[in-house]
Amino acid sequence: MVFSVAVAGASGYAGGELLRLLSGHPEFEVRTVTAHSNAGQRLVDVQPQLRSLAHLTLVDTTPENLSGHDAVFVALPHGKSGELTAHLPNDTLVVDCGADHRLENPDDWAAFYGGDYFGSWTYGVPELVTANGKQRDRIVAARRIAAPGCNASTVALALAPGIHAGVIEAQDLVAVLAVGPSGAGKSLKLPNLAAEILGSANPYAVGGTHRHIPEIVQALRWAQSAASTSARDATISFTPVIVPMSRGILATATARLVPGTSAAAVRAAWESAYADEPFVHVLPEGHFPRTADVLGANTALIGLAVDEAAGRVVTITAIDNLVKGTAGAAIQSANIALGLTETLGLTMNGVAP
Amino acid sequence: MVFSVAVAGASGYAGGELLRLLSGHPEFEVRTVTAHSNAGQRLVDVQPQLRSLAHLTLVDTTPENLSGHDAVFVALPHGKSGELTAHLPNDTLVVDCGADHRLENPDDWAAFYGGDYFGSWTYGVPELVTANGKQRDRIVAARRIAAPGCNASTVALALAPGIHAGVIEAQDLVAVLAVGPSGAGKSLKLPNLAAEILGSANPYAVGGTHRHIPEIVQALRWAQSAASTSARDATISFTPVIVPMSRGILATATARLVPGTSAAAVRAAWESAYADEPFVHVLPEGHFPRTADVLGANTALIGLAVDEAAGRVVTITAIDNLVKGTAGAAIQSANIALGLTETLGLTMNGVAP
Amino acid sequence: MVFSVAVAGASGYAGGELLRLLSGHPEFEVRTVTAHSNAGQRLVDVQPQLRSLAHLTLVDTTPENLSGHDAVFVALPHGKSGELTAHLPNDTLVVDCGADHRLENPDDWAAFYGGDYFGSWTYGVPELVTANGKQRDRIVAARRIAAPGCNASTVALALAPGIHAGVIEAQDLVAVLAVGPSGAGKSLKLPNLAAEILGSANPYAVGGTHRHIPEIVQALRWAQSAASTSARDATISFTPVIVPMSRGILATATARLVPGTSAAAVRAAWESAYADEPFVHVLPEGHFPRTADVLGANTALIGLAVDEAAGRVVTITAIDNLVKGTAGAAIQSANIALGLTETLGLTMNGVAP
Amino acid sequence: MVFSVAVAGASGYAGGELLRLLSGHPEFEVRTVTAHSNAGQRLVDVQPQLRSLAHLTLVDTTPENLSGHDAVFVALPHGKSGELTAHLPNDTLVVDCGADHRLENPDDWAAFYGGDYFGSWTYGVPELVTANGKQRDRIVAARRIAAPGCNASTVALALAPGIHAGVIEAQDLVAVLAVGPSGAGKSLKLPNLAAEILGSANPYAVGGTHRHIPEIVQALRWAQSAASTSARDATISFTPVIVPMSRGILATATARLVPGTSAAAVRAAWESAYADEPFVHVLPEGHFPRTADVLGANTALIGLAVDEAAGRVVTITAIDNLVKGTAGAAIQSANIALGLTETLGLTMNGVAP
């Protein structure tokens, strides 16, 4: 069976990546692509990399244009999805790549985003360990899925196993991320210009203001178990740094080692969490990932070290922000929700160098 | 039917890209991967992007290890393929990504490469227009194929249609290429260091010394037809410039417009040459390609302009040097030679941004 | 004596570079910096790299604010300088880094820019060989100077010696430039975004439409001498390609070798033209420049090859578009006009790697 | 008075940067440049960016060639300076940019470097706050100076004020650095190739193994005062990440806020430490530096935030690893030691964009 698909926000970076992946997916057929200011243009004139979809033309982003599909993928700026998707039938699979439906707590939404709150959907990070099994279990048969924030899912995947197993403390986490500017979308702002970013490393949202922080805390709350050292919410110092690569996130996320924990126990926590996962891999001792290794792939690679002198576990996690961080997570979740093989249309191999 | 495959030179960039593409090919199964100094290592430790091939271990590059496969892909430095492949049975498909078998004329080999000459094989650029149909026709059922030089095939695809149709002159061609450093392989030389290339544009092989020049001239000789303005060999000023992107070639190749030729006739020459090609696309008037549009794809995108004031036709061609320029061309040619669907295992969509 | 200086357009890239160079100039003191939307802000908040000018605050770009200085440097978008500078006294040195006063021929202005034409000023490329000595001679004591277009001066410096000496033909020139995006200024347009440029080579203004073409032709017209092969205007195929480096131009400019000319005569033409120049250097046989070699410097480096087989002379020229291409040329010209040592405040050494 | 200068290791990146800065220094004259494998070549053929030093030729790195100068700057791999400089007279100023003389504790040397230990010299970070005034006081009249490790001085400058003032804890520091590959020198190793680094973020020396860690701990030990929360040595989790920019370090260094400390007290600690420093600037609230802002400059820019929710002070520090991190620190220290104006030959303005 082939499922008919619409993509809302098809002219942005996330929309383009959804379409790149969908175009190679054997069970999805893209019927409709929508846009705002680019409506009326051929898709391939806006997304010239999508040669196989040269037959598609962008139409307006309206409930009418999105209705009548088996699955709708939404890649709009936050605040734009809530009302639009409210018009879609309950049995249509809707996967939102924006932030609108990620946060369970309305206060978090108000504090970090603001505007109307439309409630939370099933969080689309299948591999996340939680107190009650993997998040995958909740995605099965879901019809409303919130694809994760790219930084948030990276850090959550990096740290959840250790918190879940009680080998690291959930308080005083520190994450610093090297990120590519495609995560900012096609926003025409000075800091996004090439001349501002080439040859430079540029921090932003420093000091606890980044919108992905409550999403990380929420995911780590789910990860907490009886073995965790504390039931209190995680606290995290989170700093993203834009570096001159178009895509990719390399997250250095560290946590205090629970005193007395062996390095073997640390490694076992991560390896057991991801042992059977097709898209999350824990690298052997002494190996650490590079973002190039996951370019274009739906893979998260995690390297792990215990720094005894510093009293910290250091995790290094590489993902492609537009794939595993956004569009790939969306399609992986859709595969699960629709009962398809989870890996369909996704690759675990990166385009390197 | 699934064909068993070996890749010689699996630890280099071209070898890695062959394996990335082969890993997603439904009719090929990689059984053997060989290397020189890396033999004995797990493939994934040398090519950490190839997660789906984590079960493979590199073995020595010997005729014994390469024998017994339906197809052997060779990605070795030039001069290393000739003797090695001489030991393989005649009915084994061998595709060489190195230069050893590209040049028909031993004098060209001696002048630009030197060392033993092992004769030419069928040139693996299916879309090349020749006096007797497409090059594809010669690849059907071939068992020895020479994948092209990345710069050479780019320039040949860019200019052959106009020479074939007699709308541009074959003399006094000028090509300047912006190229990524992955084309130089993993060679440990000072000019290949990141600190030498980041933030800089670096020319090399200036003034007619680049090894791909005789290959271009040879391909354009095949393209010459009764309509061509001259039967003499093409002359070309060819300058590659290394720029700070890992992959990609953007070739600006210009030629003198045959006086009296209309812009429509120019466009028609290229459009008719590539009208039915899955992997070579002529962009509409006023559109020009970027290398990001073809990253990871087996696509060549060609933009075309007639500069009346300068008396030149300007072609802009974008390819991924490791895909359409090397590994993708090899697999596309293998598909043709083995009677498979030509596009199997290859994508026409690029990973952008 | 210290000259008081104002800079109009101080919040842009060219303005920032003028100020970086002026801040280290022993005979200039920056008193006034003007801007449009950024007026009222501290300069260092808009140009955080200019720590030594932290005492300056941006004021509106008005004739009043610019008056009362010995020298005024203007770095505004084209079309903005003509009327503004008309209000400045005739004995104030005004150097315009925009295009408004570069072209002698109103028809060229109309064809490539449009809008009101305010006449041409002395062209600020001191090293340019002309039929009547160096352009430097015209800059001495000038009070209105048009700093050159960065691409135009690069190509003019690259080719003028050969045309002047009659060793290359002025017709059928071909120039392809790898250029950094800072040349486009802080313009908030999609093609200038980092995600569009990182990892890619992007052509623009293909096919004879770039605004620097008439400026090149004009400069080469001045260079033509009795020795030149033709008195007709130069014709040039000119293609710029944006590559992922913040600054720099690497121009590959080729010309047909006049038949019968020796390689030694070619080299002699360039070496004699630039023998005594502090900022333009012809590299030895077999050496070619990289843009990193001139980063931040007021230097143009030129490499030269004769490609006998192609019948072309190949020149490779590297400059920093914001220094030798814009701000450095402006200050060098100002030094000359004011009777100062020509090299004051300028370095010939690049910041590499 | 002009001091005669020799530079040992003039063909490397640090040596080249020393020479770039020395060439613009009004009181230093470079008489001798030495190299190993490049001896006999013109300096400008090895360092083509140094046009003003085209008259110099590289000679062998021997005590004889280095003797007879007022000042000798050494930029050799670690382990090469100790014996070489032992032959130089005691009253010659020697500044070593390598690691040989940075560490006071022979055990640290043995644990992180190994090989012969030649004792520590005066540490060349003038702005470092210590229990007994600024480190500058120790540099005055010194004749043996150890220029700092680039990562080490960045982190030390970032954190020392807070530890000294007792507003942050010295235990459980976490630093993650985005660094350019020029810090690795011209070492011909696979991870330094452009194709490995372009488009990617690559961690190295993860988990407490980096050689700059004992140097950081040593500098922070000196910074501890009676106000510090603990006399124990600092502990730090330190992770460098190579990103695709040729130069620059952006250090995100965080520390636990001492409970009850106000944000104003935090800011006051840093601002008072650096109030009168020409080359270290604390940015206003809400401002954070980019590495482009300090490219080519001897400046360290520090941004500061208090993240109450995370309980951490976040510092973001940008330097140019080859200037403030190496060659600029060396020259600044030499200025102090020789009684010159401290800022001579150094700029505080960066080359941006």
Side-chain angles (χ1 to χ4, degrees):
Chain A
M1 165 175 185
V2 168
F3 295 90
S4 67
V5 171
V7 173
S11 56
Y13 292 144
E17 193 66 0
L18 280 165
L19 288 164
R20 184 179 73 84
L21 298 172
L22 290 167
S23 72
H25 194 294
E27 303 292 339
F28 288 145
E29 183 184 326
V30 180
R31 296 258 172 86
T32 301
V33 288
T34 83
H36 180 58
S37 57
N38 291 305
Q41 293 194 60
R42 292 199 314 157
L43 175 66
V44 79
D45 288 342
V46 176
Q47 305 275 20
Q49 78 278 19
L50 300 178
R51 302 303 307 178
S52 79
L53 302 176
H55 57 287
L56 294 173
T57 294
L58 292 159
V59 297
D60 278 320
T61 304
T62 62
E64 293 70 32
N65 283 332
L66 296 176
S67 67
H69 301 84
D70 298 314
V72 175
F73 292 88
V74 180
L76 298 171
H78 78 263
K80 301 290 185 190
S81 164
E83 192 162 333
L84 181 74
T85 58
H87 294 84
L88 296 174
N90 287 340
D91 61 348
T92 299
L93 174 64
V94 184
V95 185
D96 186 7
C97 293
D100 293 27
H101 308 284
R102 291 180 196 149
L103 298 177
E104 293 182 318
N105 186 333
D107 294 343
D108 283 345
W109 178 262
F112 282 84
Y113 292 92
D116 290 341
Y117 175 66
F118 285 84
S120 69
W121 293 356
T122 302
Y123 194 60
V125 182
E127 303 89 347
L128 192 66
V129 290
T130 78
N132 304 303
K134 288 286 179 79
Q135 177 66 8
R136 175 178 289 111
D137 304 341
R138 258 138 270 155
I139 298 172
V140 174
R143 282 299 171 268
R144 291 294 186 273
I145 296 171
C150 52
N151 301 299
S153 62
T154 307
V155 174
L157 288 171
L159 295 176
I163 291 173
H164 185 78
V167 298
I168 58 172
E169 297 179 9
Q171 269 65 48
D172 202 20
L173 307 169
V174 179
V176 180
L177 288 73
V179 301
S182 61
K186 292 187 175 177
S187 175
L188 298 179
K189 295 179 180 166
L190 183 60
N192 294 342
L193 289 190
E196 301 289 311
I197 287 173
L198 284 160
S200 192
N202 303 352
Y204 77 101
V206 179
T209 64
H210 196 283
R211 285 168 163 161
H212 288 179
I213 291 175
E215 188 180 334
I216 294 169
V217 172
Q218 171 179 279
L220 296 180
R221 186 186 309 132
W222 297 335
Q224 284 166 322
S225 73
S228 300
T229 57
S230 160
R232 282 181 298 132
D233 269 0
T235 62
I236 183 162
S237 168
F238 174 90
T239 310
V241 177
I242 303 280
V243 301
M245 58 188 189
S246 58
R247 303 181 170 216
I249 294 175
L250 192 88
T252 302
T254 74
R256 288 205 294 249
L257 179 68
V258 169
T261 309
S262 71
V266 168
R267 180 157 286 278
W270 269 264
E271 289 188 345
S272 65
Y274 298 130
D276 300 321
E277 291 295 344
F279 292 124
V280 182
H281 301 268
V282 180
L283 301 184
E285 184 75 28
H287 289 242
F288 298 92
R290 312 171 308 166
T291 61
D293 298 333
V294 296
L295 187 90
N298 195 48
T299 305
L301 298 179
I302 303 177
L304 205 58
V306 176
D307 184 341
E308 297 280 357
R312 286 208 165 238
V313 172
V314 182
T315 65
I316 309 275
T317 306
I319 69 154
D320 182 325
N321 56 306
L322 292 177
V323 188
K324 185 61 185 160
T326 306
I331 290 170
Q332 183 183 357
S333 295
N335 286 340
I336 296 169
L338 295 172
L340 300 169
T341 300
E342 185 171 334
T343 57
L344 269 187
L346 301 167
T347 177
M348 64 176 74
N349 293 339
V351 181
Chain B
M1 167 177 182
V2 168
F3 296 91
S4 67
V5 171
V7 173
S11 56
Y13 293 145
E17 194 66 1
L18 280 165
L19 289 164
R20 185 180 72 84
L21 297 172
L22 290 168
S23 72
H25 193 295
E27 303 291 341
F28 287 145
E29 183 185 324
V30 180
R31 297 258 173 86
T32 302
V33 288
T34 83
H36 180 59
S37 58
N38 292 304
Q41 292 194 60
R42 291 200 313 157
L43 175 66
V44 79
D45 288 342
V46 177
Q47 305 275 20
Q49 78 277 20
L50 300 178
R51 302 303 306 179
S52 80
L53 302 176
H55 56 288
L56 293 173
T57 295
L58 292 158
V59 297
D60 278 320
T61 304
T62 62
E64 293 70 33
N65 283 331
L66 296 176
S67 67
H69 300 84
D70 299 313
V72 175
F73 293 88
V74 180
L76 298 171
H78 79 261
K80 300 291 184 189
S81 164
E83 193 162 333
L84 182 74
T85 58
H87 295 83
L88 296 174
N90 287 340
D91 61 348
T92 298
L93 173 64
V94 183
V95 186
D96 186 7
C97 293
D100 293 27
H101 307 285
R102 292 180 196 148
L103 297 177
E104 292 183 319
N105 186 333
D107 294 343
D108 283 345
W109 178 262
F112 283 82
Y113 292 91
D116 291 340
Y117 175 66
F118 284 84
S120 69
W121 292 356
T122 302
Y123 194 60
V125 182
E127 304 89 347
L128 191 67
V129 291
T130 77
N132 304 302
K134 289 286 180 76
Q135 177 66 9
R136 176 178 289 112
D137 303 341
R138 255 138 272 154
I139 299 171
V140 174
R143 282 299 172 270
R144 290 292 184 275
I145 296 171
C150 53
N151 301 299
S153 62
T154 308
V155 174
L157 287 171
L159 296 176
I163 290 172
H164 186 77
V167 298
I168 58 172
E169 297 180 8
Q171 268 66 46
D172 202 18
L173 306 169
V174 179
V176 180
L177 288 74
V179 302
S182 60
K186 292 188 175 176
S187 174
L188 298 180
K189 296 178 179 168
L190 183 60
N192 294 342
L193 289 191
E196 301 288 311
I197 287 173
L198 283 160
S200 193
N202 303 352
Y204 77 101
V206 179
T209 64
H210 197 283
R211 284 169 163 160
H212 287 179
I213 291 175
E215 188 180 334
I216 294 169
V217 172
Q218 171 179 282
L220 295 181
R221 185 186 310 133
W222 297 336
Q224 284 165 322
S225 72
S228 299
T229 56
S230 160
R232 282 182 298 133
D233 269 359
T235 61
I236 183 162
S237 168
F238 175 89
T239 311
V241 177
I242 303 281
V243 301
M245 58 188 189
S246 58
R247 299 180 172 217
I249 294 175
L250 193 88
T252 302
T254 74
R256 289 206 294 251
L257 180 68
V258 169
T261 309
S262 71
V266 169
R267 180 158 286 278
W270 269 264
E271 290 187 345
S272 65
Y274 298 129
D276 299 322
E277 291 296 344
F279 293 124
V280 183
H281 301 269
V282 180
L283 301 185
E285 184 75 27
H287 289 242
F288 298 92
R290 311 171 307 166
T291 60
D293 298 334
V294 297
L295 187 89
N298 196 47
T299 304
L301 297 179
I302 303 177
L304 205 58
V306 177
D307 184 340
E308 297 281 357
R312 286 207 165 239
V313 172
V314 182
T315 66
I316 309 274
T317 305
I319 69 153
D320 182 324
N321 56 306
L322 292 178
V323 189
K324 186 60 185 161
T326 305
I331 290 170
Q332 183 183 355
S333 295
N335 285 339
I336 295 170
L338 295 172
L340 300 170
T341 300
E342 184 172 337
T343 56
L344 269 187
L346 300 167
T347 178
M348 65 176 74
N349 294 339
V351 181
Chain C
M1 166 175 185
V2 168
F3 296 90
S4 67
V5 170
V7 173
S11 56
Y13 293 143
E17 193 65 1
L18 280 165
L19 289 163
R20 185 179 72 86
L21 297 172
L22 290 167
S23 72
H25 193 294
E27 302 292 339
F28 287 145
E29 183 184 326
V30 179
R31 297 258 173 86
T32 301
V33 287
T34 82
H36 179 59
S37 58
N38 292 305
Q41 292 195 59
R42 292 199 314 156
L43 174 65
V44 79
D45 288 342
V46 177
Q47 305 274 21
Q49 78 276 21
L50 300 177
R51 301 303 307 177
S52 80
L53 302 177
H55 57 287
L56 294 173
T57 295
L58 293 159
V59 297
D60 278 320
T61 303
T62 63
E64 294 70 33
N65 282 334
L66 296 175
S67 68
H69 300 84
D70 299 314
V72 175
F73 293 87
V74 180
L76 298 171
H78 79 263
K80 300 292 184 190
S81 165
E83 193 163 331
L84 181 75
T85 60
H87 293 85
L88 297 173
N90 287 338
D91 62 347
T92 299
L93 174 63
V94 183
V95 186
D96 186 7
C97 293
D100 293 27
H101 308 284
R102 291 181 196 149
L103 298 177
E104 292 183 318
N105 187 333
D107 294 343
D108 283 346
W109 178 263
F112 282 83
Y113 293 92
D116 291 340
Y117 175 65
F118 284 85
S120 71
W121 292 357
T122 302
Y123 193 61
V125 182
E127 302 89 348
L128 191 66
V129 291
T130 78
N132 304 301
K134 288 285 179 78
Q135 176 68 7
R136 175 179 289 111
D137 303 342
R138 256 138 273 155
I139 298 172
V140 174
R143 281 300 172 270
R144 291 293 185 275
I145 296 171
C150 53
N151 300 301
S153 63
T154 307
V155 174
L157 288 170
L159 296 175
I163 291 173
H164 185 78
V167 299
I168 57 172
E169 298 179 11
Q171 269 65 48
D172 202 19
L173 307 169
V174 179
V176 180
L177 288 74
V179 303
S182 61
K186 292 188 175 176
S187 176
L188 299 179
K189 295 178 180 167
L190 183 61
N192 295 341
L193 289 190
E196 300 288 311
I197 287 173
L198 283 160
S200 192
N202 303 352
Y204 76 102
V206 179
T209 64
H210 196 282
R211 284 167 163 162
H212 286 179
I213 292 174
E215 189 180 334
I216 294 168
V217 171
Q218 172 179 279
L220 295 180
R221 186 187 308 133
W222 297 335
Q224 284 165 323
S225 73
S228 298
T229 57
S230 159
R232 282 182 297 132
D233 269 0
T235 60
I236 184 163
S237 169
F238 175 90
T239 310
V241 177
I242 303 281
V243 301
M245 59 188 188
S246 58
R247 302 180 169 217
I249 294 175
L250 191 88
T252 302
T254 74
R256 289 206 292 250
L257 179 69
V258 170
T261 309
S262 71
V266 169
R267 180 157 286 278
W270 268 263
E271 289 188 345
S272 65
Y274 298 128
D276 300 322
E277 292 296 344
F279 292 124
V280 182
H281 301 269
V282 180
L283 300 185
E285 184 73 29
H287 289 242
F288 297 92
R290 311 170 307 166
T291 61
D293 298 334
V294 297
L295 187 90
N298 196 48
T299 304
L301 297 179
I302 304 177
L304 205 58
V306 177
D307 184 340
E308 298 281 358
R312 288 210 163 234
V313 173
V314 182
T315 67
I316 308 274
T317 305
I319 69 155
D320 182 324
N321 57 308
L322 292 177
V323 189
K324 186 60 184 162
T326 306
I331 290 170
Q332 182 184 356
S333 295
N335 285 340
I336 295 169
L338 295 171
L340 299 169
T341 300
E342 185 172 335
T343 56
L344 270 187
L346 299 167
T347 179
M348 66 176 75
N349 294 340
V351 181
Chain D
M1 166 177 183
V2 168
F3 296 91
S4 67
V5 171
V7 172
S11 56
Y13 292 144
E17 193 66 0
L18 279 165
L19 289 164
R20 185 180 72 85
L21 297 172
L22 290 167
S23 72
H25 193 294
E27 303 291 340
F28 287 145
E29 182 185 324
V30 179
R31 297 256 173 87
T32 301
V33 288
T34 83
H36 180 59
S37 58
N38 292 303
Q41 292 195 59
R42 293 198 313 157
L43 175 66
V44 79
D45 288 342
V46 176
Q47 304 275 19
Q49 78 278 19
L50 300 178
R51 302 302 309 177
S52 79
L53 301 176
H55 56 288
L56 294 174
T57 294
L58 292 160
V59 297
D60 278 320
T61 303
T62 63
E64 294 69 34
N65 283 332
L66 296 175
S67 68
H69 300 85
D70 299 314
V72 175
F73 293 88
V74 181
L76 299 171
H78 79 261
K80 301 291 185 188
S81 164
E83 192 162 334
L84 181 74
T85 58
H87 294 84
L88 297 174
N90 287 339
D91 61 348
T92 299
L93 174 64
V94 183
V95 186
D96 186 7
C97 294
D100 293 27
H101 308 284
R102 292 180 195 148
L103 297 177
E104 292 182 319
N105 187 334
D107 294 343
D108 283 345
W109 177 262
F112 283 83
Y113 293 92
D116 290 341
Y117 174 65
F118 284 84
S120 70
W121 292 356
T122 302
Y123 194 60
V125 182
E127 302 90 348
L128 191 66
V129 290
T130 77
N132 304 301
K134 288 286 179 78
Q135 177 67 8
R136 176 178 288 111
D137 304 341
R138 256 138 272 155
I139 299 172
V140 174
R143 282 299 171 270
R144 291 292 185 277
I145 296 171
C150 53
N151 300 300
S153 63
T154 307
V155 174
L157 288 170
L159 295 176
I163 291 172
H164 185 78
V167 299
I168 57 172
E169 297 178 11
Q171 268 65 47
D172 202 19
L173 308 169
V174 179
V176 180
L177 288 74
V179 303
S182 61
K186 293 187 175 177
S187 176
L188 298 180
K189 295 178 180 167
L190 183 61
N192 294 341
L193 290 190
E196 300 289 311
I197 288 173
L198 283 160
S200 192
N202 304 353
Y204 76 102
V206 179
T209 64
H210 197 283
R211 285 168 163 161
H212 287 180
I213 291 174
E215 188 180 335
I216 295 169
V217 171
Q218 172 179 280
L220 295 180
R221 185 187 309 133
W222 297 335
Q224 284 165 322
S225 73
S228 299
T229 56
S230 160
R232 282 182 298 131
D233 270 359
T235 61
I236 184 163
S237 169
F238 175 90
T239 310
V241 177
I242 303 282
V243 301
M245 58 189 190
S246 58
R247 298 179 172 219
I249 294 174
L250 191 88
T252 302
T254 74
R256 289 206 293 250
L257 179 69
V258 169
T261 309
S262 71
V266 168
R267 180 156 287 276
W270 269 264
E271 290 188 344
S272 66
Y274 298 129
D276 300 322
E277 291 296 344
F279 293 124
V280 182
H281 301 269
V282 180
L283 301 185
E285 183 75 28
H287 290 242
F288 298 92
R290 311 171 307 166
T291 61
D293 298 335
V294 298
L295 187 90
N298 196 47
T299 305
L301 298 180
I302 304 176
L304 206 57
V306 177
D307 184 340
E308 297 280 358
R312 287 210 164 234
V313 173
V314 182
T315 66
I316 309 274
T317 304
I319 69 154
D320 182 325
N321 57 306
L322 292 178
V323 189
K324 186 61 184 161
T326 305
I331 290 170
Q332 182 184 356
S333 294
N335 285 340
I336 295 169
L338 295 172
L340 300 170
T341 300
E342 185 172 335
T343 57
L344 270 186
L346 300 167
T347 179
M348 65 177 73
N349 294 339
V351 181

